[in-house]
Short mmCIF file of all heavy atoms in Angstrom, two decimals:
data_model
loop_
_atom_site.label_atom_id
_atom_site.label_comp_id
_atom_site.label_asym_id
_atom_site.label_seq_id
_atom_site.Cartn_x
_atom_site.Cartn_y
_atom_site.Cartn_z
N ASP A 1 7.40 -4.51 -0.06
CA ASP A 1 8.02 -5.78 -0.39
C ASP A 1 7.26 -6.86 0.36
O ASP A 1 7.30 -6.91 1.60
CB ASP A 1 9.51 -5.74 0.02
CG ASP A 1 10.26 -6.98 -0.43
OD1 ASP A 1 9.91 -8.08 0.04
OD2 ASP A 1 11.20 -6.86 -1.22
N PHE A 2 6.53 -7.71 -0.37
CA PHE A 2 5.69 -8.68 0.27
C PHE A 2 6.52 -9.73 1.04
O PHE A 2 6.14 -10.11 2.14
CB PHE A 2 4.78 -9.37 -0.74
CG PHE A 2 3.77 -10.29 -0.12
CD1 PHE A 2 2.69 -9.81 0.59
CD2 PHE A 2 3.87 -11.68 -0.27
CE1 PHE A 2 1.76 -10.66 1.15
CE2 PHE A 2 2.94 -12.55 0.30
CZ PHE A 2 1.89 -12.03 1.01
N ALA A 3 7.61 -10.19 0.49
CA ALA A 3 8.42 -11.22 1.10
C ALA A 3 9.00 -10.76 2.44
O ALA A 3 9.02 -11.50 3.42
CB ALA A 3 9.54 -11.66 0.17
N SER A 4 9.49 -9.51 2.48
CA SER A 4 10.09 -8.99 3.69
C SER A 4 9.09 -8.30 4.60
O SER A 4 9.48 -7.84 5.72
CB SER A 4 11.26 -8.04 3.37
OG SER A 4 10.75 -6.89 2.72
N LYS A 5 7.86 -8.14 4.12
CA LYS A 5 6.82 -7.47 4.92
C LYS A 5 7.26 -6.06 5.34
O LYS A 5 7.17 -5.67 6.52
CB LYS A 5 6.43 -8.28 6.12
CG LYS A 5 5.97 -9.73 5.78
CD LYS A 5 4.72 -9.72 4.89
CE LYS A 5 4.12 -11.12 4.71
NZ LYS A 5 4.94 -11.98 3.81
N THR A 6 7.71 -5.28 4.34
CA THR A 6 8.16 -3.90 4.61
C THR A 6 7.53 -2.95 3.60
O THR A 6 7.18 -3.33 2.48
CB THR A 6 9.68 -3.80 4.50
OG1 THR A 6 10.10 -4.18 3.18
CG2 THR A 6 10.35 -4.68 5.57
N VAL A 7 7.46 -1.66 3.98
CA VAL A 7 7.06 -0.59 3.07
C VAL A 7 7.91 0.63 3.36
O VAL A 7 8.38 0.80 4.48
CB VAL A 7 5.55 -0.20 3.18
CG1 VAL A 7 4.66 -1.36 2.84
CG2 VAL A 7 5.25 0.35 4.57
N ARG A 8 8.09 1.47 2.32
CA ARG A 8 8.83 2.72 2.47
C ARG A 8 8.12 3.81 1.67
O ARG A 8 7.57 3.57 0.63
CB ARG A 8 10.28 2.59 2.01
CG ARG A 8 10.43 2.27 0.52
CD ARG A 8 11.91 2.13 0.15
NE ARG A 8 12.06 1.83 -1.27
CZ ARG A 8 12.10 2.74 -2.24
NH1 ARG A 8 12.02 4.02 -1.93
NH2 ARG A 8 12.23 2.37 -3.51
N THR A 9 8.15 5.04 2.21
CA THR A 9 7.50 6.13 1.55
C THR A 9 8.33 6.61 0.36
O THR A 9 9.55 6.58 0.38
CB THR A 9 7.24 7.30 2.50
OG1 THR A 9 8.51 7.77 3.02
CG2 THR A 9 6.35 6.89 3.66
N ILE A 10 7.59 7.11 -0.67
CA ILE A 10 8.26 7.65 -1.89
C ILE A 10 7.93 9.12 -2.05
O ILE A 10 8.83 9.95 -2.24
CB ILE A 10 7.82 6.87 -3.15
CG1 ILE A 10 8.30 5.43 -3.05
CG2 ILE A 10 8.37 7.51 -4.39
CD1 ILE A 10 7.81 4.53 -4.15
N THR A 11 6.65 9.46 -2.00
CA THR A 11 6.23 10.85 -2.12
C THR A 11 4.84 10.97 -1.48
O THR A 11 4.27 9.98 -1.04
CB THR A 11 6.22 11.31 -3.60
OG1 THR A 11 5.98 12.73 -3.66
CG2 THR A 11 5.13 10.62 -4.40
N ASP A 12 4.32 12.19 -1.41
CA ASP A 12 3.02 12.36 -0.75
C ASP A 12 1.92 12.78 -1.72
O ASP A 12 2.17 12.99 -2.91
CB ASP A 12 3.10 13.35 0.42
CG ASP A 12 3.56 14.75 -0.01
OD1 ASP A 12 3.70 14.99 -1.23
OD2 ASP A 12 3.83 15.58 0.85
N ASN A 13 0.68 12.86 -1.20
CA ASN A 13 -0.51 13.24 -1.96
C ASN A 13 -0.76 12.35 -3.17
O ASN A 13 -1.07 12.83 -4.24
CB ASN A 13 -0.47 14.74 -2.37
CG ASN A 13 -1.85 15.25 -2.76
OD1 ASN A 13 -2.90 14.65 -2.43
ND2 ASN A 13 -1.89 16.31 -3.51
N VAL A 14 -0.56 11.05 -2.96
CA VAL A 14 -0.84 10.07 -4.00
C VAL A 14 -1.79 9.04 -3.40
O VAL A 14 -1.47 8.38 -2.40
CB VAL A 14 0.46 9.37 -4.48
CG1 VAL A 14 0.13 8.20 -5.41
CG2 VAL A 14 1.35 10.37 -5.22
N GLU A 15 -2.97 8.91 -4.02
CA GLU A 15 -3.97 7.95 -3.52
C GLU A 15 -4.37 6.99 -4.63
O GLU A 15 -4.44 7.33 -5.79
CB GLU A 15 -5.21 8.67 -3.02
CG GLU A 15 -4.98 9.57 -1.80
CD GLU A 15 -6.28 10.12 -1.27
OE1 GLU A 15 -7.10 9.32 -0.79
OE2 GLU A 15 -6.46 11.34 -1.31
N CYS A 16 -4.64 5.76 -4.22
CA CYS A 16 -5.10 4.70 -5.14
C CYS A 16 -4.24 4.57 -6.38
O CYS A 16 -4.67 4.74 -7.51
CB CYS A 16 -6.54 5.02 -5.55
SG CYS A 16 -7.72 5.05 -4.19
N PRO A 17 -2.94 4.22 -6.17
CA PRO A 17 -2.05 4.12 -7.31
C PRO A 17 -2.34 2.92 -8.23
O PRO A 17 -2.89 1.90 -7.78
CB PRO A 17 -0.66 3.93 -6.64
CG PRO A 17 -1.02 3.28 -5.33
CD PRO A 17 -2.29 3.89 -4.92
N SER A 18 -1.96 3.07 -9.49
CA SER A 18 -2.09 2.01 -10.47
C SER A 18 -0.84 2.05 -11.36
O SER A 18 -0.62 3.04 -12.06
CB SER A 18 -3.36 2.20 -11.30
OG SER A 18 -3.52 1.17 -12.23
N LEU A 19 -0.06 0.98 -11.36
CA LEU A 19 1.18 0.93 -12.06
C LEU A 19 0.97 0.65 -13.55
O LEU A 19 0.21 -0.23 -13.92
CB LEU A 19 2.10 -0.13 -11.48
CG LEU A 19 3.53 -0.23 -12.01
CD1 LEU A 19 4.32 1.06 -11.69
CD2 LEU A 19 4.25 -1.43 -11.41
N SER A 20 1.66 1.41 -14.39
CA SER A 20 1.53 1.25 -15.83
C SER A 20 2.12 -0.11 -16.28
O SER A 20 2.92 -0.70 -15.59
CB SER A 20 2.26 2.37 -16.56
OG SER A 20 3.67 2.33 -16.30
N PRO A 21 1.68 -0.62 -17.43
CA PRO A 21 2.18 -1.91 -17.92
C PRO A 21 3.70 -1.96 -18.05
O PRO A 21 4.29 -3.03 -17.84
CB PRO A 21 1.50 -2.06 -19.29
CG PRO A 21 0.25 -1.27 -19.15
CD PRO A 21 0.60 -0.09 -18.32
N ASP A 22 4.34 -0.84 -18.35
CA ASP A 22 5.80 -0.85 -18.48
C ASP A 22 6.51 -0.59 -17.14
O ASP A 22 7.74 -0.54 -17.10
CB ASP A 22 6.29 0.13 -19.55
CG ASP A 22 5.95 1.60 -19.19
OD1 ASP A 22 5.45 1.88 -18.11
OD2 ASP A 22 6.20 2.47 -20.06
N GLY A 23 5.75 -0.36 -16.09
CA GLY A 23 6.31 -0.18 -14.75
C GLY A 23 6.98 1.15 -14.51
O GLY A 23 7.67 1.29 -13.48
N THR A 24 6.76 2.15 -15.35
CA THR A 24 7.45 3.42 -15.17
C THR A 24 6.59 4.56 -14.63
O THR A 24 7.11 5.59 -14.24
CB THR A 24 8.01 3.90 -16.53
OG1 THR A 24 6.94 4.17 -17.45
CG2 THR A 24 8.93 2.85 -17.15
N ARG A 25 5.24 4.35 -14.62
CA ARG A 25 4.36 5.44 -14.25
C ARG A 25 3.28 4.91 -13.31
O ARG A 25 2.92 3.76 -13.33
CB ARG A 25 3.68 6.05 -15.50
CG ARG A 25 4.64 6.77 -16.46
CD ARG A 25 3.98 6.93 -17.81
NE ARG A 25 3.84 5.63 -18.49
CZ ARG A 25 3.08 5.42 -19.54
NH1 ARG A 25 2.36 6.41 -20.05
NH2 ARG A 25 3.02 4.22 -20.10
N ILE A 26 2.77 5.85 -12.51
CA ILE A 26 1.69 5.53 -11.58
C ILE A 26 0.52 6.44 -11.92
O ILE A 26 0.63 7.69 -11.89
CB ILE A 26 2.09 5.78 -10.12
CG1 ILE A 26 3.13 4.76 -9.65
CG2 ILE A 26 0.88 5.81 -9.21
CD1 ILE A 26 2.60 3.44 -9.20
#
C-alpha cells in the first residue's frame, strides 16, 4: 500500500510478479 507505506506477504516462491489486466492473476 503506497499511501500507508506498508507491505504484507501473500505466498512464497513468486518472483517478478505481473498483474493481469483484470486484476485476478499474477
Side-chain angles (χ1 to χ4, degrees):
D1 186 297
F2 186 71
S4 65
K5 303 298 188 287
T6 59
V7 298
R8 62 180 180 88
T9 60
I10 296 175
T11 188
D12 59 8
N13 197 19
V14 171
E15 296 187 64
C16 298
S18 181
L19 186 64
S20 63
D22 64 5
T24 64
R25 295 161 291 165
I26 292 278

